[in-house]
Amino acid sequence: MPLLEVKNLKKIYTTRFGGNPVLALKNVSFSIESGEYAAIMGESGAGKTTLLNILASLDKPTSGEVMLNGRNIVSINENEISAFRRDNLGFVFQDFNLLDTFSIRDNILLPLVLSGKPYNEMEHRLLPISRRLSINDILDKYPYEVSGGQKQRAAIARALITKPQLILADEPTGSLDSHTSDSLLKLFAEINEDGQTILMVTHSAKAASHAKRVLFIKDGEVFHQLYKGSMSDKEMYGKISDTLIMIATGGAGDE
C-alpha cells in the first residue's frame, strides 16, 4: 500500500460576493511510496499551493480522498487534526517559519513540547539530528542571529524531530542563494537515502532535479510525470526544463 494516496481530488473556491466559482483542482490522483522523494511542479495558478494545503490538512477538498498510511485525512475532525498533523507530517517552508523569540533549540523542540514528550526524550532526539545537520553550535542562538541556510537547517531539524511519516517542503530553497541551495538539496537527498519520504513543491527545475520523480500540475490536474531512474541531476534538469517548456507552449503530456 502506498504511504500517500490521493484519489480524485477536486477543489472549488467560491468568492464571498457570489462571483464565478474557481476550479483550483480538477481531478488529481497520484500516490507516493514510502521512502520516495518526489517533487510537484507547475506554472503559477496551476493548483500546486492548493494541493499542498490539502495534503498538509490545512484545507479541505470539495471532493476526493487523501489517504496517509491508510487513513483518510480529509475526514479527520477539527479536534484531532492539529495533533495528527504534528505527529505525522513534517513541514519545511520557504520563509522558515521560526519564532524569533525562541532559541534555535526551542524552535526545533516545539512540536515535541506540544506533544507532551519528556525533556530527556526531547534531548535524546535533538542531539543526533543537530549533529547531522551541522547546527550543534547554533542551538542557543536566535533565528535573527544566524544565516538563511542555518535557519533552513533548523527548520528541517524541526520537521524531522517528530519522526514524521511524510515531509512536505514548500519552495525550500526559495529564500536561499545558489551555494546554500546546493548544500540544502544535497542534505535532502541524504535524508531521503536514510528512508525519509519527502514531497516537495517547487518552481525550481534545479531543486526538482534532485527528486526521484517529478509530477507536473497543469490546469488543476496531473498533466505529466518524470522518473529519474539512472539519470544524473544534470540530465534530469534538462528533462524537467523541456517539460516545462512543453507545458508553457501547450504541448501534450504523457505518463
Side-chain angles (χ1 to χ4, degrees), residues 37 132 180-191 210:
Y37 180 6
R132 174 69 186 274
T180 308
S181 294
D182 289 345
S183 175
L184 186 77
L185 292 169
K186 182 181 177 185
L187 184 59
F188 261 47
E190 291 172 358
I191 292 167
H210 289 255

Side-chain angles (χ1 to χ4, degrees), residues 27-249:
N27 184 30
V28 174
S29 297
F30 65 90
S31 60
I32 301 292
E33 299 295 328
S34 180
E36 193 171 1
Y37 180 6
I40 294 175
M41 300 193 76
E43 297 176 303
S44 295
K48 299 189 307 297
T49 300
T50 298
L51 176 59
L52 185 72
N53 286 340
I54 291 172
L55 297 181
S57 65
L58 297 170
D59 196 3
K60 298 273 190 184
T62 304
S63 61
E65 295 181 342
V66 178
M67 308 295 292
L68 183 64
N69 210 8
R71 185 173 186 185
N72 186 6
I73 69 174
V74 172
S75 61
I76 298 174
N77 67 47
E78 292 300 319
N79 295 329
E80 290 183 82
I81 199 68
S82 293
F84 177 85
R85 191 185 299 127
R86 188 172 60 239
D87 294 342
N88 294 280
L89 301 172
F91 300 95
V92 181
F93 302 96
Q94 178 177 343
D95 56 1
F96 320 125
N97 278 21
L98 299 176
L99 299 172
D100 275 338
T101 53
F102 280 32
S103 68
I104 296 296
R105 179 192 305 273
D106 290 341
N107 267 286
I108 296 169
L109 293 177
L110 183 58
L112 298 185
V113 173
L114 294 172
S115 296
K117 292 287 189 289
Y119 181 76
N120 285 348
E121 182 180 343
M122 290 192 284
E123 284 296 308
H124 180 71
R125 290 197 193 187
L126 175 63
L127 290 177
I129 292 174
S130 62
R131 286 195 197 106
R132 174 69 186 274
L133 300 182
S134 301
I135 53 173
N136 256 356
D137 58 339
I138 64 163
L139 289 177
D140 295 319
K141 292 183 181 291
Y142 288 81
Y144 55 83
E145 297 178 306
V146 302
S147 69
Q150 289 171 321
K151 287 180 187 177
Q152 197 58 295
R153 285 172 179 265
I156 293 170
R158 181 184 57 193
L160 288 171
I161 203 160
T162 60
K163 301 177 181 176
Q165 296 189 59
L166 175 66
I167 284 184
L168 296 171
D170 185 12
E171 297 287 359
T173 61
S175 297
L176 305 175
D177 61 58
S178 60
H179 176 74
T180 308
S181 294
D182 289 345
S183 175
L184 186 77
L185 292 169
K186 182 181 177 185
L187 184 59
F188 261 47
E190 291 172 358
I191 292 167
N192 172 248
E193 288 299 320
D194 288 343
Q196 178 64 58
T197 312
I198 301 172
L199 181 59
M200 173 173 60
V201 172
T202 182
H203 283 96
S204 167
K206 184 174 184 180
S209 69
H210 289 255
K212 294 175 181 175
R213 178 163 60 118
V214 181
L215 295 95
F216 298 88
I217 304 288
K218 181 181 181 182
D219 299 330
E221 55 188 338
V222 177
F223 172 77
H224 185 64
Q225 59 181 324
L226 287 173
Y227 287 87
K228 189 172 189 177
S230 61
M231 282 190 282
S232 66
D233 292 347
K234 185 176 180 180
E235 290 168 332
M236 186 65 166
Y237 175 87
K239 289 281 190 182
I240 292 168
S241 299
D242 290 345
T243 302
L244 291 173
I245 291 169
M246 177 183 69
I247 291 173
T249 55

